[in-house]
Amino acid sequence: MTRLNWGMIGGGDGSQIGPAHRMGAQADGNFSFVAGALDADADRGKSYAQSLGIAPDRAYGNWRDMLEGEREHPDRVDLVTVATPNSTHFEITRAFLEAGFNVLCEKPMTMTVEEGEEIVRLAREAGRICAVNYCYSAYPMVRQMKAMVAAGELGAIRCVVANFSHGHHAAGDDADNPRVRWRYDPAQAGVSGQMADCGIHALHMASFILGDELRSLSADFASTVPGRVLEDDAMVNFRTEKGTVGRLWTSTIALGRQHGLDIQVFGETGGLRWASEQPNQIHYHRLGGRVEIIEKGEAGLHGDAARLSRVPIAHPEGFPLAVANIYVDLAARIRGEVAGALPGAEDGLRSMAAVYAAVDSARRDGAWVDARPPMFR
Amino acid sequence: MTRLNWGMIGGGDGSQIGPAHRMGAQADGNFSFVAGALDADADRGKSYAQSLGIAPDRAYGNWRDMLEGEREHPDRVDLVTVATPNSTHFEITRAFLEAGFNVLCEKPMTMTVEEGEEIVRLAREAGRICAVNYCYSAYPMVRQMKAMVAAGELGAIRCVVANFSHGHHAAGDDADNPRVRWRYDPAQAGVSGQMADCGIHALHMASFILGDELRSLSADFASTVPGRVLEDDAMVNFRTEKGTVGRLWTSTIALGRQHGLDIQVFGETGGLRWASEQPNQIHYHRLGGRVEIIEKGEAGLHGDAARLSRVPIAHPEGFPLAVANIYVDLAARIRGEVAGALPGAEDGLRSMAAVYAAVDSARRDGAWVDARPPMFR
Amino acid sequence: MTRLNWGMIGGGDGSQIGPAHRMGAQADGNFSFVAGALDADADRGKSYAQSLGIAPDRAYGNWRDMLEGEREHPDRVDLVTVATPNSTHFEITRAFLEAGFNVLCEKPMTMTVEEGEEIVRLAREAGRICAVNYCYSAYPMVRQMKAMVAAGELGAIRCVVANFSHGHHAAGDDADNPRVRWRYDPAQAGVSGQMADCGIHALHMASFILGDELRSLSADFASTVPGRVLEDDAMVNFRTEKGTVGRLWTSTIALGRQHGLDIQVFGETGGLRWASEQPNQIHYHRLGGRVEIIEKGEAGLHGDAARLSRVPIAHPEGFPLAVANIYVDLAARIRGEVAGALPGAEDGLRSMAAVYAAVDSARRDGAWVDARPPMFR
Amino acid sequence: MTRLNWGMIGGGDGSQIGPAHRMGAQADGNFSFVAGALDADADRGKSYAQSLGIAPDRAYGNWRDMLEGEREHPDRVDLVTVATPNSTHFEITRAFLEAGFNVLCEKPMTMTVEEGEEIVRLAREAGRICAVNYCYSAYPMVRQMKAMVAAGELGAIRCVVANFSHGHHAAGDDADNPRVRWRYDPAQAGVSGQMADCGIHALHMASFILGDELRSLSADFASTVPGRVLEDDAMVNFRTEKGTVGRLWTSTIALGRQHGLDIQVFGETGGLRWASEQPNQIHYHRLGGRVEIIEKGEAGLHGDAARLSRVPIAHPEGFPLAVANIYVDLAARIRGEVAGALPGAEDGLRSMAAVYAAVDSARRDGAWVDARPPMFR
């Protein structure tokens, strides 16, 4: 098994997401980190890349230089990760796909539905991987849930309830805190605040686990902190293509919730519950039985969950290895091996369509609207 | 302290709610159980009443006989509990209030908003207590939450999130199970299924804790089990009079939730979480601090919470004593002593208005509607 | 079903345990509270008794008067509860048993093993009930554990691990706090501090659940707060008659444990865990299966657990109703009906023997000693 | 920052611990994996090493070849990890230390106390790092506990209670299961079963967190599964050099405990609790306050805990990154940078002395024995 070549755009010194990607890409020895344009400041980016062991000629000053340099490189990167500011994802992802690279793009993949449709078309035409980093879907126990649903272990699904709430923007110190302020400023964040930031993670998980997509939704947005233009608390009711009822609550002012991402799935014959803060367990209630605790690493897990459990039962695995699992499956896909269900450009597009639909519904007092991207209607 | 005289209508042999009321009324020695019309079958009711120690002449065959018998009795009952089938609550409660009795009515107090308004007016005119058994509001730690909100310990409240979900109707065996079937049959249950059965408990708790009332709401109802006319899963978004954002999810098909009543309150400077299955603790997050666990029975609780903690810290108290706390406060009110905040006829009325509003909204695709009873607009 | 007559000695105004007994005795309508000698101060006791509804002629000034008054009373009490200071339990219990009364004695039943043996002999000769208030054994889910062990659902039992630890004496303010100080003073507390106060509850639970008795033990005692003569932290290793390995840790300086009473039972084919602060659930692990959550009130519980579940599944029941369950079974025994396994004089005796054995072992550096009362060797 | 060179002995194809070390060493880009003797089968080892990207000339057939090859290599490895069968740890560690290499040895470092003393002397003379993989000590929140104790935030420590119990050997299928059988066979496992396998992890954590060492102990061992020569359940009472009371329970037949490693520390003014299955939180009870939940990644953690928190608050980190933290600190030590408290040869020695002391005590019916290695008495 030879290592694949990997490069990153963004994720420079001081970035939170950069180390998670580097650890994720290298944790299993699948990728060598050989190229990068890590910073908006060219000199800082080059210097930081070299401090991470990248050769000087592949420590690029910006993504355009990297595109040129890698395009013709004899050992060109097998995968490019795009971890730049949100508004640049589309342009960079498009450029690298057009040049025939595989891309892992941070979410959101684009800022508009139209851009999203363009990426989907492009990825299909190019025959390249365009993955989006919905990394919660790569927790082993989330994969277990997906497999249980697919295997019919819950019967037909009636209802899914997802939450992604935290209290880290409750202080309301937006004026003094630029890291919070931009989230509620349409000029920087786009049409949506918390729905676009966190809500879509939970919505993606719902679709991912169900193997079913959003059809329509009704949203209620609130800006509970005075001065915020975009929503800091939102409730979305939805229906999937198969008719499953969905509920999503997302908030940034929920003091006491540290990382309140959880999901419940209710079927005819069983119910499941998973929470991000204790990601190695699922509570499973079989109709007529007792609630059982399914443990990561136990015997008899479904294939994808078993494959992605790295250490034995009850040895916890956490967020960084969920990111690493995305890279495990990317490597497998690139090598043509059997891989798990990777979130792709279609997911990035559907998320953007759901955000715009929620904004539209909220503006129209909760009217039910079509949540699908036009190209999938 | 002499004991007060207490009588019950309904709650006969085999009833689930009857024992809870008898234990609640007698747990603290406040009430003597002296009269009853306990069963729709007059003979069975008389016989059962006598087996419980009631004198033959006060073991009545039906509520009308009891009304006649007690009206002129020299030791007439100080309080009547109405625990009959829902559709009879209004008529019985009205009759006893008119005759000058204090009443504790099981929920729902009435089947329509108009009836609710009549009871409110009548209770006011009669100067009698008309309480409704929203017993979850009598848990000591729910009282603590109410007191903390009132004392401003959370700052202005931004959002309240309540759930009351269970999976006990998931089997979908309505055809064979009359105890489930009637809940979804408009002829027996009225306009609403789970919203009227459980949702209003959670809504009442939200209002009770906040000291604030519903103003408007938008609802999404689903009947996830084929054949059900009324909803078995509902989401209600609401706004209170003071503008607080509210979310309520209630379900009967949530396999894995055994008694999933919980409530979260988020204010400017603090957040609280309480769950019915572990009712002796609150999780409290003060802005800038850590999540703290408030324990029933700890030193420094607010007055109402301290008063209703019967056994020392970490000795759990449960549902039957929450019911008993309702009787503690009823006895205090009857005696003219200091009592806690009892849910009254206004609460019964507001709940009914909320149910009708939710039904109306759900029928109109989630349109926002006024949730207040006409007399309080 | 006529009510039985009940009287109490001790438990006067301000007592913590008095209200628990009154609520316990009266919660189910089995007993009428008709006689009492409630206070060491005769006048206070009489006055308080009357305020609780006891007739003046049965509101006694002391236990000897009560013994005389009740002995010949035509409606003499069917049961006497002894809730006086520990050092008086033996004398009072003996006197009432000799006079032919049934007795429920607070723990410890006696201060010495010899006294304990005398009570056991006396109760046998008199043919009267002498129960000891090991009330934790009356939680429905503790009864479920006992029944599961008896039914062989865990296979042969290998090990039991019990803890009863709290941090309520951690302040070390003994000098200023008489309620704490006496616990560590041999003149008042006897030979043991925390072992006698709380440890024996956990030991009793172990024996009760296993249906097996202590044979030998080795103890390590510590007085971690300077100035304490008696132990505030103890570890006891033991073996039962059937050879099961036992571990017991008990402490009063365990800051963070509020009421840390829990018990784990491990057999050949299954393990159980129960904790006092969440008493309505058991975690059950069947060999080769997953951990399952058994809920009070679920279908299919063993008889004793089902009988003592008063409200439906997931409606919590707490400590006061565990005490009430002791009275339920006492009433059944008095009436000659089928009753559950009541802790009796033998349990009181065995506990005292275990305490003395632990003290002896701890003084001899953990030497293994016989833990049985002489009369049961 | 150039990468350090790293090699591993053992941890070949199919090994459980090998991947954890490779991920740990490479997760943060500190080490390049350049050499290995990975398997007892020379050909398999060489082939597997090359499949992991190691150059053919550094894919060795056995550890002696590796020692020779690396000794004079111009880019010789900066660190060797020894992950071979237990009985070989001593010989290999000694040889590499003598040749001037830094070593990370899996536990147990040696099979006897004498060997342990030899390694300690050798590491001191050689001036090289000899670390032992007590990886639980590298969880950020364990470091936080250590720092809180050192800072006096709990006052003087009174008591520490550690458990490390699981039920994975409860099946008792030793005859058919070689992976279980050897643990209880003195010929393969040495003098102790579960105490040496898991108990010493918990004991090490206790010493590590307290900054205090064992002085004496008393042990009770049991072989609850028929046929086992070595213990599968053990209780150890101990005292530290500073006089703190210690309790340790460890078991392999505890059905329901999946990975029951937890530790509680009780001081004069505060108590802490941490559990391995939810490693990102500590419960902290300050005398007179409420229980607070300390979260990995929160603001204001002590230095070592903050430094080792890789992803934001409430994003869980698990076991593999605890191992990685050992490598983070090894790299820092090798580079002469500021590092955290690494478990070293002295810890390996003290653990072995504690195991032998426990065996001795258990054989002598729990007699208290000196738990220190002779060289530290």
Side-chain angles (χ1 to χ4, degrees):
Chain A
M1 187 186 80
T2 55
R3 296 201 182 195
L4 300 167
N5 290 318
W6 175 64
M8 183 161 59
I9 304 169
D13 198 11
S15 149
Q16 243 178 19
I17 199 72
H21 279 287
R22 291 200 302 275
M23 196 182 311
Q26 299 179 88
D28 299 274
N30 286 312
F31 291 95
S32 293
F33 185 24
V34 299
L38 305 186
D39 207 300
D41 177 313
D43 287 341
R44 282 189 50 183
K46 289 182 181 181
S47 159
Y48 188 58
Q50 292 178 56
S51 81
L52 294 172
I54 291 179
D57 64 321
R58 297 177 88 174
Y60 300 98
N62 60 60
W63 69 265
R64 288 188 175 83
D65 287 353
M66 179 162 157
L67 182 63
E68 290 316 301
E70 292 298 310
R71 192 196 294 270
E72 307 301 333
H73 197 285
D75 289 319
R76 69 185 234 164
V77 291
D78 297 288
L79 175 71
V80 175
T81 292
V82 178
T84 53
N86 291 353
S87 61
T88 66
H89 291 175
F90 167 61
E91 184 181 20
I92 302 174
T93 296
R94 180 175 59 179
F96 276 81
L97 284 173
E98 285 174 338
F101 290 92
N102 297 305
V103 176
L104 170 63
C105 184
E106 263 304 318
K107 61 133 280 247
M109 182 175 76
T110 64
M111 297 298 282
T112 70
V113 176
E114 293 70 26
E115 292 167 353
E117 297 201 336
E118 187 173 340
I119 296 290
V120 168
R121 283 194 203 95
L122 191 51
R124 291 176 176 181
E125 290 165 14
R128 285 299 175 269
I129 297 168
C130 178
V132 181
N133 192 30
Y134 288 118
C135 48
Y136 302 107
S137 67
Y139 271 111
M141 299 317 271
V142 174
R143 297 288 180 97
Q144 173 72 8
M145 294 173 82
K146 181 180 181 64
M148 291 177 73
V149 170
E153 296 178 26
L154 310 190
I157 304 304
R158 291 167 173 164
C159 183
V160 59
V161 178
N163 299 304
F164 195 165
S165 294
H166 64 76
H168 301 304
H169 297 179
D173 57 349
D174 304 22
D176 305 319
N177 190 335
R179 292 184 54 185
V180 170
R181 186 173 57 233
W182 79 271
R183 285 284 182 201
Y184 305 101
D185 174 4
Q188 297 177 73
V191 293
S192 163
Q194 170 68 354
M195 182 65 200
D197 186 29
C198 292
I200 57 171
H201 270 297
L203 269 186
H204 176 264
M205 281 190 69
S207 297
F208 182 83
I209 289 171
L210 299 188
D212 191 9
E213 301 292 346
L214 258 68
R215 173 68 182 256
S216 60
L217 63 76
S218 163
D220 177 29
F221 280 17
S223 301
T224 70
V225 171
R228 290 184 178 164
V229 175
L230 299 178
E231 84 286 356
D232 55 15
D233 190 284
M235 182 75 215
V236 177
N237 291 304
F238 59 93
R239 296 294 184 278
T240 68
E241 294 283 6
K242 294 180 186 164
T244 293
V245 174
R247 318 286 186 200
L248 165 76
W249 172 55
T250 189
S251 183
T252 69
I253 54 93
L255 282 167
R257 301 280 74 73
Q258 300 287 12
H259 192 252
L261 171 62
D262 56 59
I263 189 158
Q264 302 175 79
V265 180
F266 305 112
E268 284 177 343
T269 60
L272 295 173
R273 183 176 194 280
W274 176 89
S276 161
E277 296 190 28
Q278 181 61 301
N280 299 293
Q281 299 185 326
I282 301 167
H283 280 227
Y284 172 37
H285 194 186
R286 226 182 305 223
L287 182 65
R290 291 173 180 146
V291 173
E292 299 172 24
I293 302 171
I294 305 179
E295 296 272 353
K296 176 201 70 69
E298 71 176 34
L301 292 180
H302 283 279
D304 226 25
R307 182 175 58 88
L308 297 174
S309 294
R310 292 142 188 275
V311 281
I313 185 168
H315 289 68
E317 300 180 44
F319 179 80
L321 291 186
V323 176
N325 289 339
I326 294 283
Y327 283 92
V328 168
D329 279 339
L330 280 165
R333 285 272 291 277
I334 292 171
R335 289 172 176 145
E337 298 166 355
V338 175
L342 269 174
E346 286 81 358
D347 299 270
L349 166 59
R350 286 186 192 275
S351 293
M352 198 41 56
V355 168
Y356 273 83
V359 170
D360 181 34
S361 170
R363 285 181 183 155
R364 295 198 282 125
D365 283 340
W368 282 82
V369 299
D370 196 322
R372 297 171 298 175
M375 73 184 287
F376 293 154
R377 289 183 189 175
Chain B
M1 187 185 82
T2 56
R3 296 202 183 195
L4 300 167
N5 290 319
W6 175 64
M8 184 160 59
I9 304 169
D13 198 11
S15 147
Q16 244 178 18
I17 199 74
H21 278 287
R22 292 200 302 275
M23 196 183 311
Q26 299 179 89
D28 299 272
N30 285 313
F31 291 94
S32 295
F33 185 25
V34 299
L38 304 186
D39 207 300
D41 178 313
D43 288 339
R44 281 189 50 182
K46 287 182 182 181
S47 159
Y48 188 57
Q50 292 178 58
S51 81
L52 295 172
I54 291 179
D57 64 321
R58 298 177 87 173
Y60 300 98
N62 60 59
W63 69 264
R64 288 190 174 80
D65 287 353
M66 179 163 157
L67 182 63
E68 289 317 302
E70 292 298 311
R71 192 197 295 270
E72 307 301 334
H73 199 285
D75 289 319
R76 70 184 234 165
V77 291
D78 298 288
L79 175 72
V80 176
T81 292
V82 179
T84 54
N86 291 352
S87 61
T88 66
H89 291 176
F90 167 62
E91 183 181 22
I92 302 174
T93 297
R94 181 176 61 180
F96 276 82
L97 283 174
E98 284 175 339
F101 291 92
N102 296 306
V103 177
L104 171 63
C105 184
E106 261 305 318
K107 60 132 281 247
M109 184 175 76
T110 64
M111 295 299 281
T112 69
V113 176
E114 295 69 27
E115 292 168 353
E117 296 200 339
E118 186 173 340
I119 295 291
V120 167
R121 284 194 202 94
L122 190 52
R124 289 176 177 181
E125 290 164 14
R128 286 298 176 273
I129 297 167
C130 178
V132 182
N133 191 30
Y134 289 119
C135 48
Y136 302 107
S137 66
Y139 272 111
M141 299 318 271
V142 174
R143 298 289 180 96
Q144 172 72 8
M145 292 173 84
K146 181 181 180 64
M148 290 176 74
V149 170
E153 295 178 25
L154 310 190
I157 304 304
R158 291 168 172 162
C159 183
V160 60
V161 178
N163 298 305
F164 195 165
S165 294
H166 63 76
H168 302 303
H169 296 180
D173 58 350
D174 304 22
D176 305 320
N177 190 337
R179 292 185 54 185
V180 170
R181 186 172 58 234
W182 79 269
R183 284 284 181 202
Y184 305 102
D185 174 4
Q188 297 176 74
V191 293
S192 162
Q194 170 68 353
M195 182 66 199
D197 186 29
C198 292
I200 58 171
H201 271 296
L203 268 186
H204 177 263
M205 281 190 70
S207 296
F208 182 82
I209 289 171
L210 300 188
D212 191 9
E213 300 293 346
L214 258 67
R215 173 68 184 254
S216 60
L217 63 76
S218 164
D220 177 30
F221 280 17
S223 301
T224 69
V225 172
R228 288 184 180 166
V229 175
L230 299 178
E231 83 285 357
D232 56 16
D233 189 284
M235 182 76 216
V236 178
N237 291 303
F238 58 92
R239 296 293 184 277
T240 69
E241 294 284 5
K242 294 179 185 164
T244 292
V245 174
R247 319 284 186 202
L248 165 76
W249 172 55
T250 189
S251 183
T252 70
I253 53 92
L255 281 168
R257 302 280 74 72
Q258 299 288 12
H259 193 252
L261 171 62
D262 57 58
I263 190 159
Q264 302 175 78
V265 180
F266 305 111
E268 285 177 342
T269 59
L272 295 172
R273 182 175 195 281
W274 176 89
S276 161
E277 296 191 29
Q278 181 62 301
N280 298 293
Q281 298 184 327
I282 302 167
H283 280 227
Y284 173 36
H285 193 187
R286 226 183 301 225
L287 181 66
R290 290 172 181 147
V291 172
E292 299 172 24
I293 302 171
I294 305 179
E295 296 272 354
K296 176 201 71 69
E298 70 174 34
L301 291 180
H302 283 280
D304 226 26
R307 182 175 58 89
L308 297 174
S309 295
R310 292 141 188 274
V311 281
I313 184 168
H315 288 68
E317 300 179 44
F319 180 80
L321 291 185
V323 176
N325 289 339
I326 293 283
Y327 283 92
V328 168
D329 280 339
L330 279 165
R333 284 273 291 277
I334 293 170
R335 290 171 175 144
E337 299 166 356
V338 176
L342 270 173
E346 287 81 358
D347 298 271
L349 167 58
R350 288 187 191 273
S351 293
M352 199 40 56
V355 168
Y356 273 82
V359 170
D360 181 33
S361 171
R363 285 179 184 157
R364 297 199 281 124
D365 283 341
W368 283 82
V369 299
D370 196 322
R372 299 170 299 177
M375 74 184 285
F376 294 154
R377 289 184 188 176
Chain C
M1 188 186 79
T2 56
R3 295 203 183 196
L4 300 167
N5 290 320
W6 175 64
M8 183 161 59
I9 303 168
D13 198 10
S15 148
Q16 242 178 18
I17 198 73
H21 278 286
R22 293 200 302 275
M23 197 182 309
Q26 299 178 89
D28 300 273
N30 286 313
F31 291 95
S32 293
F33 186 22
V34 299
L38 305 184
D39 207 301
D41 178 314
D43 287 342
R44 281 188 51 183
K46 289 181 182 181
S47 157
Y48 188 58
Q50 292 178 59
S51 82
L52 295 172
I54 291 178
D57 64 323
R58 297 179 88 174
Y60 300 100
N62 59 59
W63 68 265
R64 289 188 174 81
D65 288 354
M66 181 163 156
L67 182 63
E68 289 316 301
E70 292 298 312
R71 193 196 293 269
E72 307 300 335
H73 199 286
D75 289 321
R76 70 184 233 163
V77 290
D78 297 288
L79 176 72
V80 176
T81 293
V82 179
T84 54
N86 291 353
S87 61
T88 67
H89 291 175
F90 167 61
E91 183 181 22
I92 302 173
T93 297
R94 182 177 58 179
F96 276 82
L97 284 174
E98 284 175 340
F101 290 93
N102 297 306
V103 177
L104 170 64
C105 183
E106 262 303 320
K107 60 134 278 251
M109 182 176 76
T110 63
M111 296 298 280
T112 70
V113 177
E114 294 70 24
E115 293 167 353
E117 296 201 338
E118 187 174 340
I119 295 291
V120 167
R121 283 193 204 94
L122 191 51
R124 291 177 176 180
E125 290 164 16
R128 286 296 176 274
I129 297 168
C130 178
V132 182
N133 192 30
Y134 289 118
C135 49
Y136 302 108
S137 66
Y139 272 110
M141 298 317 270
V142 174
R143 299 287 180 98
Q144 172 73 8
M145 292 172 84
K146 181 181 180 62
M148 291 176 74
V149 170
E153 296 179 24
L154 310 190
I157 304 303
R158 293 169 172 162
C159 184
V160 60
V161 179
N163 299 304
F164 195 164
S165 294
H166 64 75
H168 301 304
H169 296 180
D173 59 348
D174 303 23
D176 305 321
N177 191 337
R179 292 184 55 185
V180 170
R181 188 172 56 232
W182 80 271
R183 284 283 181 204
Y184 304 102
D185 175 4
Q188 296 177 74
V191 294
S192 164
Q194 170 67 354
M195 182 66 201
D197 187 29
C198 292
I200 58 173
H201 270 298
L203 270 186
H204 178 262
M205 282 189 70
S207 296
F208 182 83
I209 290 170
L210 299 189
D212 191 8
E213 300 294 346
L214 257 67
R215 172 69 183 254
S216 61
L217 63 75
S218 163
D220 176 30
F221 280 18
S223 300
T224 70
V225 171
R228 289 184 178 165
V229 175
L230 299 177
E231 84 286 357
D232 56 14
D233 190 284
M235 182 76 216
V236 178
N237 290 305
F238 58 93
R239 296 294 184 279
T240 68
E241 295 283 6
K242 294 180 187 164
T244 293
V245 174
R247 319 286 186 200
L248 165 74
W249 171 56
T250 189
S251 183
T252 70
I253 53 92
L255 282 168
R257 302 280 74 72
Q258 300 287 10
H259 192 254
L261 172 62
D262 56 59
I263 190 159
Q264 302 176 75
V265 180
F266 305 112
E268 284 178 343
T269 59
L272 295 172
R273 182 176 195 280
W274 177 88
S276 162
E277 296 190 30
Q278 182 61 301
N280 299 293
Q281 298 184 327
I282 301 167
H283 281 228
Y284 173 36
H285 193 187
R286 225 182 303 222
L287 181 66
R290 290 171 180 147
V291 173
E292 299 173 22
I293 301 171
I294 306 179
E295 297 270 355
K296 178 200 68 69
E298 70 176 34
L301 291 180
H302 283 278
D304 226 26
R307 182 175 58 89
L308 297 174
S309 294
R310 292 141 188 276
V311 282
I313 187 167
H315 288 69
E317 300 180 43
F319 179 81
L321 291 186
V323 176
N325 288 341
I326 293 283
Y327 284 92
V328 168
D329 279 338
L330 279 166
R333 285 271 291 277
I334 293 171
R335 289 171 176 144
E337 298 167 355
V338 176
L342 268 175
E346 287 80 359
D347 299 271
L349 167 58
R350 287 186 191 273
S351 292
M352 198 42 56
V355 167
Y356 273 82
V359 170
D360 181 33
S361 171
R363 284 181 184 156
R364 298 199 280 127
D365 284 341
W368 283 83
V369 299
D370 196 322
R372 298 170 298 176
M375 73 184 287
F376 293 154
R377 287 183 190 176
Chain D
M1 190 185 79
T2 56
R3 296 204 182 193
L4 300 168
N5 289 320
W6 175 65
M8 183 160 59
I9 303 170
D13 199 10
S15 146
Q16 243 178 18
I17 198 73
H21 279 286
R22 292 200 302 276
M23 198 183 309
Q26 300 179 89
D28 299 272
N30 286 313
F31 291 95
S32 294
F33 185 23
V34 300
L38 305 185
D39 206 300
D41 179 313
D43 287 342
R44 282 188 51 184
K46 287 182 183 182
S47 158
Y48 188 56
Q50 291 178 58
S51 81
L52 295 171
I54 291 180
D57 63 322
R58 297 179 87 174
Y60 300 99
N62 60 59
W63 68 265
R64 286 188 177 83
D65 288 354
M66 179 163 157
L67 182 64
E68 290 316 300
E70 292 299 310
R71 193 195 294 272
E72 306 301 332
H73 199 286
D75 289 322
R76 69 184 235 164
V77 290
D78 297 288
L79 175 72
V80 175
T81 292
V82 179
T84 53
N86 291 353
S87 61
T88 65
H89 291 176
F90 167 62
E91 184 181 20
I92 302 174
T93 296
R94 182 176 57 179
F96 277 81
L97 283 174
E98 283 175 340
F101 290 93
N102 297 305
V103 176
L104 171 64
C105 184
E106 261 305 319
K107 61 132 278 251
M109 182 175 76
T110 64
M111 296 299 282
T112 70
V113 177
E114 293 70 27
E115 292 167 353
E117 296 201 339
E118 186 173 339
I119 296 290
V120 167
R121 282 194 204 96
L122 191 52
R124 289 178 178 179
E125 289 165 15
R128 285 297 176 273
I129 297 168
C130 178
V132 181
N133 192 30
Y134 289 119
C135 49
Y136 303 106
S137 67
Y139 271 111
M141 298 318 270
V142 174
R143 299 289 180 97
Q144 172 73 8
M145 293 173 83
K146 182 181 179 63
M148 290 176 74
V149 170
E153 295 178 26
L154 311 190
I157 303 305
R158 292 169 173 164
C159 185
V160 59
V161 178
N163 298 305
F164 194 164
S165 296
H166 64 75
H168 302 303
H169 298 179
D173 57 350
D174 304 23
D176 305 321
N177 190 336
R179 291 184 56 184
V180 170
R181 187 174 56 235
W182 78 271
R183 285 284 182 203
Y184 304 101
D185 174 4
Q188 297 177 74
V191 294
S192 163
Q194 171 67 353
M195 182 66 200
D197 186 29
C198 291
I200 58 172
H201 270 298
L203 269 187
H204 177 263
M205 281 190 70
S207 296
F208 182 83
I209 289 170
L210 299 188
D212 191 7
E213 300 294 345
L214 257 68
R215 173 68 183 255
S216 59
L217 63 76
S218 162
D220 177 31
F221 280 18
S223 301
T224 70
V225 171
R228 289 185 179 166
V229 175
L230 300 178
E231 84 285 356
D232 57 14
D233 190 284
M235 182 76 215
V236 178
N237 291 303
F238 58 93
R239 297 293 185 278
T240 68
E241 295 282 6
K242 294 180 184 164
T244 292
V245 174
R247 319 285 186 200
L248 165 75
W249 171 55
T250 189
S251 184
T252 69
I253 53 91
L255 282 167
R257 301 281 74 72
Q258 300 286 12
H259 192 253
L261 171 62
D262 57 59
I263 189 159
Q264 303 177 75
V265 181
F266 305 113
E268 285 178 343
T269 59
L272 296 172
R273 182 176 195 281
W274 177 88
S276 161
E277 296 191 28
Q278 182 60 301
N280 298 293
Q281 297 186 326
I282 301 167
H283 281 228
Y284 173 36
H285 193 188
R286 225 182 304 221
L287 182 66
R290 290 171 180 147
V291 173
E292 299 173 23
I293 301 171
I294 306 179
E295 297 271 355
K296 177 201 69 69
E298 71 175 34
L301 292 180
H302 284 278
D304 225 28
R307 182 175 59 88
L308 297 173
S309 295
R310 292 142 188 276
V311 282
I313 186 167
H315 289 67
E317 301 179 43
F319 178 80
L321 292 186
V323 176
N325 289 339
I326 294 283
Y327 283 92
V328 167
D329 279 338
L330 280 167
R333 284 272 291 278
I334 292 170
R335 290 171 176 143
E337 298 167 355
V338 176
L342 268 175
E346 286 81 359
D347 298 88
L349 167 59
R350 287 185 192 275
S351 293
M352 198 42 55
V355 168
Y356 273 83
V359 170
D360 181 34
S361 171
R363 285 180 183 157
R364 296 198 282 126
D365 283 341
W368 282 83
V369 299
D370 196 323
R372 299 170 298 176
M375 72 184 287
F376 294 156
R377 287 185 189 174

